[in-house]
Amino acid sequence: MFQIVRKQEMAKGTIIRFDINAPKIAKKIKAGQFVILRVNETGERIPLTVADKDEFAGIITIIFQVVGKTTALMRSLNEGDLIKDVVGPLGKPAHTDKIGTVIMVGGGTGVAILHHVVKAYKEAGNYVISIIGARDKEMLILENEMSQISDELVVTTDDGSYGQRGFVTDPLKKYLDERKDIKQVYAIGPIIMMQNIVKLTKKYEIPTMVSLNPIMIDGTGMCGGCRVKIDDTTRFCCVDGPDFDGFKVDFDELLNRNSLYIKEEKDSLLFSIK
Ligand code: NAD
Ligand code: FES
């Protein structure tokens, strides 16, 4: 059993942060890796990339958006409550070598995952420019935390209620036009955002890593649920990823596969709150 030691509601209560006591995972987990969590004996398995860790306190931080039955159930948990299983670290760590100036882009809840990866890039000695975006001011998360670990931070909101108006791709394009020292772009967020970032960076020939989140079940390479097409080859995101070379990802197939169960997810959420 794993205890929730801190709970914080963010973004109008639709995004939740849990600090969970998990000393063995906190000791081993690296930026970009994820855990699979099961709330109770009969619960479904939810993959969540870790947003931060405190190795000495034995704590991992997860930040999730309430979208279906299980995440709604998780929101009802409070500090002191126990989670049945937390399995990890899973997946491959992000490559965070020292390469120079990097642009790190996060959209929506993707900023939570980006946070851990930015920390690692910064610790490796890179010059880190972060761009984070949200629909509006209230949906923006981790601005202070991101500003502390980035050399430069740009914030966008779709409606212009805070920061620059527009998508994260707008300041990214500006940086790519103005600076010639960008060695890599790293992106995490909605699939359409990552797809559009890759379309842009391809034109500038800037290597781009993306962190994918296909449907996952076992998280250990057994079920094939998380298959993604990379350079026309099938790869399993849970063991071969979640980070991949963005230029090689078949985003259209990923979009199709991820939309397969949207109706069932909504139905199960509605059923659970009736
Ligand atoms: P969102 O729809 O609020 O978008 C967040 C930001 O992404 C926007 O503010 C914008 O800057 C950018 N963006 C959105 N559409 C874009 C476009 N067409 N072109 C360029 N930039 C664009 O994001 P959300 O509600 O947090 O997430 C939506 C989906 O993303 C969910 O289905 C979620 O599962 C998925 N997601 C994936 C990951 C991941 O691991 N890759 C992480 C978080 C969320
Ligand atoms: Fe089953 Fe990856 S989640 S193979």
Side-chain angles (χ1 to χ4, degrees), residues 65 107-110 113 133-135 156 158 167-169 188-190 192-194 196 211 213:
Q65 192 159 22
T109 41
I113 305 163
R135 283 173 201 188
T156 64
D158 303 3
F167 287 164
V168 286
T169 34
I188 180 152
I192 188 73
M193 179 201 97
M194 295 190 284
N196 284 336
S211 176
N213 71 328

Side-chain angles (χ1 to χ4, degrees), residues 178-272:
E178 289 173 0
R179 289 186 69 137
K180 300 296 159 222
D181 61 338
I182 309 300
K183 294 285 185 293
Q184 184 187 278
V185 171
Y186 182 101
I188 180 152
I191 299 168
I192 188 73
M193 179 201 97
M194 295 190 284
Q195 186 173 28
N196 284 336
I197 284 178
V198 165
K199 277 184 193 159
L200 185 64
T201 54
K202 259 186 187 167
K203 289 185 197 152
Y204 294 80
E205 296 178 2
I206 305 291
T208 302
M209 295 301 289
V210 292
S211 176
L212 304 183
N213 71 328
I215 292 159
M216 284 193 190
I217 302 167
D218 64 303
T220 58
M222 306 287 283
C223 71
C226 68
R227 62 186 179 275
V228 286
K229 208 178 273 170
I230 310 293
D231 223 4
D232 277 333
T233 307
T234 297
R235 307 286 295 276
F236 290 169
C237 190
C238 66
V239 286
D240 300 320
D243 287 6
F244 292 100
D245 177 344
F247 292 179
K248 296 180 177 171
V249 174
D250 184 335
F251 285 105
D252 291 331
E253 191 193 75
L254 182 60
L255 269 170
N256 277 336
R257 281 186 59 74
N258 270 27
S259 57
L260 283 177
Y261 300 107
I262 287 176
K263 183 180 177 307
E264 284 76 3
E265 198 155 74
K266 278 193 183 139
D267 288 350
S268 89
L269 176 62
L270 285 174
F271 186 71
S272 72

Side-chain angles (χ1 to χ4, degrees), residues 95-104 117-118 120-130 149-152 179-186 206-207:
H95 294 283
T96 54
D97 303 334
K98 184 173 180 184
I99 48 175
T101 301
V102 291
I103 302 187
M104 310 292 290
V117 184
V118 164
Y121 269 100
K122 186 71 193 139
E123 280 166 16
N126 294 290
Y127 186 85
V128 178
I129 300 168
S130 298
I149 54 174
S150 307
D151 294 287
E152 295 176 39
R179 289 186 69 137
K180 300 296 159 222
D181 61 338
I182 309 300
K183 294 285 185 293
Q184 184 187 278
V185 171
Y186 182 101
I206 305 291

